[in-house]
Amino acid sequence: MTSGALGVPASDAAPHPREVLLGAQAAAVVLPVCDHYCGVEDRMRKSLQLQAEMLDEYGACVFDVTLDCEDGAPVGAEAAHVRLVARLAHETPPGQRVAVRVHAVDHPSFVDDMAVVAGELASRLCHVMVPKVEGPQDIDRVCESLDRYGASQLPVHALIESPSAVHQAFAIAAHPRVQSLSFGLMDFVSAHAGAIPSSAMGVAGQFQHALVVHAKLEIASACHANGKVPSHCVVTEFRDHAALSLAACKASQEFGYTRMWSIHPTQIRPIVEAFAPTSDEIHAATEVLVAAAHAAWAPISVGGTLHDRASYRYFWQVLERAHQTGRVLPTAVQGWFATNPVAVP
């Protein structure tokens, strides 16, 4: 194996870090750190345009756009709305990541939604989001619909919104077709018959009320136990950018989330910045991983600290997250990402 003075080993035979380091104890799914929801036609078009602009700016698709058929569809116009969503998805250029939130499996419009999403859009979408999932049986029903239309490759994201769903979080996350779990804060609070105050839906209260905190931690833990992506709930105070940034930092650094919802375009950049590693973290990860690659991933010492594959895995995930958030990677590690997309559906 040959090597460069500053970079990773320069050999086609050298294993990629993903091959060496990622396994049962590490997330197998890599997704953009922000999932932006919109359901009104003008906002959906503007969100897709913003995604295209930021794709050019960052050199990576740093957020998903999820076109919403659940809350976005006017009552009585669900069929027309899913057709609108289909047109917008078909108009979106390749390289952008577009998803659809369908109605819940027990809603009358679920069947019609899936006929369009699975029957006409599957090759264009990065995933389908299913709300109000109560257990693995709901995921089975979604997968049956996907399979019926030949769309078995389309990943499923599940929205956890009730106490019983939180209780089933590990079973839902273990489903092989599930890629990510999201927490539905407002529905979760509302499901408690007034036992949780409305303040728990706010940017501060949602990190303080014991039942809400418990739900968030259960969902994050279920995802990490099964190699899936935990996606944090919304912050409805969309004009308070400082509060949003604080919430995103808490979700990322204290609650174990690697992805977060946006419901207003101004929330996207603060979320991306909050979930991005710092330049110091990127530098440290690069130093350790380049040395590890030159040692064929055997144990090493860097700056008087011992490292092996357990810590290599952590530092590799720092670089993965840097790539997801459009950070400029050091030259020494750019080769690892040259042919790897920011997210693999």
Side-chain angles (χ1 to χ4, degrees), residues 248-292:
C249 288
K250 279 182 172 291
S252 173
Q253 298 171 17
E254 299 178 25
F255 282 73
Y257 282 79
T258 56
R259 180 168 160 99
M260 184 170 176
W261 283 34
S262 160
I263 54 171
H264 192 276
T266 60
Q267 295 181 322
I268 294 170
R269 290 182 186 274
I271 290 172
V272 172
E273 293 303 314
F275 279 80
T278 66
S279 57
D280 286 346
E281 290 172 323
I282 295 170
H283 174 77
T286 297
E287 183 180 18
V288 169
L289 290 175
V290 168

Side-chain angles (χ1 to χ4, degrees), residues 287-330:
E287 183 180 18
V288 169
L289 290 175
V290 168
H294 280 289
W297 306 102
I300 60 171
S301 173
V302 175
T305 299
L306 292 174
H307 294 281
D308 59 17
R309 293 188 193 185
S311 58
Y312 300 160
R313 184 179 297 119
Y314 167 81
F315 289 117
W316 171 250
Q317 290 166 339
V318 170
L319 293 187
E320 288 268 30
R321 196 166 69 254
H323 182 52
Q324 288 171 258
T325 50
R327 306 299 99 168
V328 177
L329 294 170

Side-chain angles (χ1 to χ4, degrees), residues 34-39 43-44 47 63-68 99-101 127-130 157 159 182 231 234 259-265 268:
C34 181
D35 191 6
H36 178 65
Y37 279 73
C38 46
R43 294 173 189 170
M44 291 190 286
S47 297
F63 69 97
D64 290 346
V65 172
T66 297
L67 307 178
D68 188 13
V100 173
R101 177 164 69 168
H127 66 266
V128 57
M129 166 60 75
V130 185
H157 291 200
L159 186 51
S182 294
S231 188
V234 300
R259 180 168 160 99
M260 184 170 176
W261 283 34
S262 160
I263 54 171
H264 192 276
I268 294 170

Side-chain angles (χ1 to χ4, degrees), residues 133 135-136 139 156 158 160 165 168-181 218-230:
V133 171
I139 303 299
V156 178
I160 307 300
Q168 291 286 314
F170 279 80
I172 297 168
H175 197 289
R177 301 279 286 274
V178 167
Q179 192 179 58
S180 174
L181 299 187
E218 281 291 291
I219 292 168
S221 182
C223 286
H224 291 301
N226 290 282
K228 309 299 173 65
V229 176

Side-chain angles (χ1 to χ4, degrees), residues 44-96:
M44 291 190 286
R45 292 187 181 278
K46 288 181 178 179
S47 297
L48 291 168
Q49 178 59 37
L50 178 60
Q51 187 186 57
E53 293 170 358
M54 291 182 67
L55 175 60
D56 289 339
E57 176 184 348
Y58 282 84
C61 197
V62 296
F63 69 97
D64 290 346
V65 172
T66 297
L67 307 178
D68 188 13
C69 288
E70 187 194 23
D71 293 337
V75 175
E78 290 86 357
H81 189 80
V82 73
R83 284 293 168 192
L84 168 63
V85 163
R87 290 198 300 273
L88 293 176
H90 280 304
E91 292 171 4
T92 305
Q96 293 185 230

